[in-house]
Each structure stands twice: as structure tokens, then as C-alpha cells.
Amino acid sequence: MVRSGIGYDIHRLVEGRKLVLGGVAIPHPRGLDGHSDADVLTHAIADALLGAAGDRDIGHHFPNSDESIKGIDSQEILRRVQAILTGKSFAIVNIDSSLIAEEPKIGPHISAMRERLSQTLNIPPDRIGIKATTNEGLGFIGRGEGIAAMAIATVEKLEPRFPADAPRIA
Ligand code: MG
């Protein structure tokens, strides 16, 4: 069985925060605000994976009221999401995503982000798509007030080769 899920996230750009996208720290005068490291791309991917597995969303699994995860590295969130999927016998087929940001320029960082996400998820980088676009100066993203991300994930349910209730031949 093959299933897909979508994810979307947006965070506000503020002074005094590090900018982390796809697990990569990107030099920029402002960073994304949030309870975790506010890695908007990784959050959209995590939500797409949870959606594909039919398991709520990251707000449910990692509520911003949980002080134990304040400032958490979103790669750790992604690792925990993958563990939820593995527990349900879902394996990742591929992920595709888009970042929507007026600045900074995302292109020079895409291969580092793919590499980092592929290490976190232990899948080849060519199974992870990351694209970037501006909002053509329109609206709040166009004014540089925040960065948004969209993602789609496809997963495959691994059927057990030897179901627990199948008769075994000694
Ligand atoms: Mg988020």
C-alpha cells in the first residue's frame, strides 16, 4: 500500500534568532520565531509524513505548550516522526517540498539541506526534493515578514513477510 500526505507551515522572521532551514543554519540578519528552532521546511515535511501515515500532525505530537521540547532541534522532531512511521511499518518512498521566501537566497543551500535531511531520515538525498521560490514581493511573505514551506511525502506500508499468526515451518 502506497500513501501520500501533505504538509504546510509558516513562521515569522524576527531579529535575534538563528535561521535554520532543512536542518542547516543559514547566515541571515533575522531568523524564524517559534517554540522549537522553527525550521519551517522540516516541520512541513514532518507534517506530510504524519499525514501519509494517517497520524494527526506535529502540533499534536509536539505541542508548543510542552516545555521539555522548548528550543528542540527540528531534526530530532523529524527523527521522532520517522520512528512513529516505522512503528506502523511505513517506509518513506520520497518527499518533495517548496520553500517560499523573499530572502535570503535559498538556492545555494539546497544541496546541504538535502544532505542533512537524508542523514536524519537515513534515505538517499535523491528521494528528497527541495525547491525554492519567492512570493514575487506579494503579501506578507513578499514583505519578508515570514517564510513558508509546503511538502508532500509518499510512504509505503511494508507488509510483514511472516505474519505473526501465520503457521511457521520448523
Ligand atoms: Mg512550525
Side-chain angles (χ1 to χ4, degrees):
M1 181 179 36
V2 171
R3 301 165 50 140
S4 295
I6 63 165
Y8 170 82
D9 197 20
I10 186 162
H11 282 262
R12 190 183 292 272
L13 274 167
V14 295
E15 311 264 328
R17 291 266 303 180
K18 263 198 338 187
L19 177 61
V20 181
L21 295 173
V24 174
I26 294 173
H28 193 58
R30 293 182 299 157
L32 294 174
D33 197 20
H35 186 66
S36 64
D37 63 6
D39 183 341
V40 67
L41 176 62
T42 301
H43 292 181
I45 290 172
D47 256 353
L49 288 168
L50 286 170
D55 197 330
R56 304 288 298 263
D57 57 33
I58 57 169
H60 172 76
H61 289 282
F62 308 95
N64 60 15
S65 54
D66 182 353
E67 283 302 308
S68 76
I69 56 168
K70 193 168 167 55
I72 190 174
D73 178 347
S74 294
Q75 298 309 294
E76 178 57 27
I77 290 178
L78 192 55
R79 234 172 261 125
R80 294 187 196 179
V81 163
Q82 190 178 30
I84 292 169
L85 267 71
T86 304
K88 296 180 163 200
S89 301
F90 286 112
I92 297 167
V93 175
N94 80 305
I95 290 161
D96 193 22
S97 63
S98 287
L99 269 166
I100 307 122
E102 212 61 29
E103 56 172 20
K105 283 220 175 306
I106 304 295
H109 306 285
I110 284 181
S111 43
M113 293 191 279
R114 287 175 86 199
E115 194 58 45
R116 183 78 207 276
L117 292 167
S118 83
Q119 282 166 7
T120 298
L121 295 169
N122 199 24
I123 60 174
D126 68 1
R127 293 189 185 213
I128 302 171
I130 303 173
K131 301 176 303 304
T133 183
T134 69
N135 222 32
E136 292 288 335
L138 295 167
F140 51 88
I141 296 175
R143 290 190 296 271
E145 294 171 17
I147 293 178
M150 297 188 286
I152 179 165
T154 301
V155 303
E156 183 181 12
K157 179 110 177 170
L158 302 173
E159 303 299 342
R161 216 179 266 245
F162 300 107
D165 56 353
R168 299 288 183 93
I169 298 161

